[in-house]
Amino acid sequence: MKARRKLRLISLTMFIIAVIFVFCAISCPTLGHTIYIGSFSFGAEQWRICYGIYAAAMSVIFIASFFVKDK
């Protein structure tokens, strides 16, 4: 199997897992627990941002797999 095809298959799998994870995480009404670090609280809004960054990163990796050149 060529490197491009392997990378595309791995990135597609990671992208599908990311979509399922983000869907399950967002559908939870509480979006996890609020974490307090000193006076800073990491609540639902911050979790939404983290999930969005995760989904965007997986999308970029999937799209980047189409631009890999074979040797």
Side-chain angles (χ1 to χ4, degrees), residues 2-66:
K2 294 187 178 208
R4 179 189 288 187
R5 186 174 174 140
K6 285 180 187 177
L7 179 61
R8 200 169 287 160
L9 184 62
I10 291 169
S11 64
L12 178 64
T13 304
M14 290 173 63
F15 180 68
I16 291 170
I17 290 170
V19 168
I20 292 169
F21 171 75
V22 170
F23 176 75
C24 291
I26 297 295
S27 67
C28 177
T30 59
L31 284 175
H33 299 285
T34 300
I35 299 172
Y36 294 99
I37 303 170
S39 62
F40 178 74
S41 65
F42 198 83
E45 283 301 314
Q46 290 79 19
W47 286 117
R48 280 192 180 96
I49 292 169
C50 290
Y51 296 149
I53 292 170
Y54 175 68
M58 290 300 111
S59 300
V60 168
I61 290 172
F62 176 67
I63 292 168
S65 71
F66 289 98

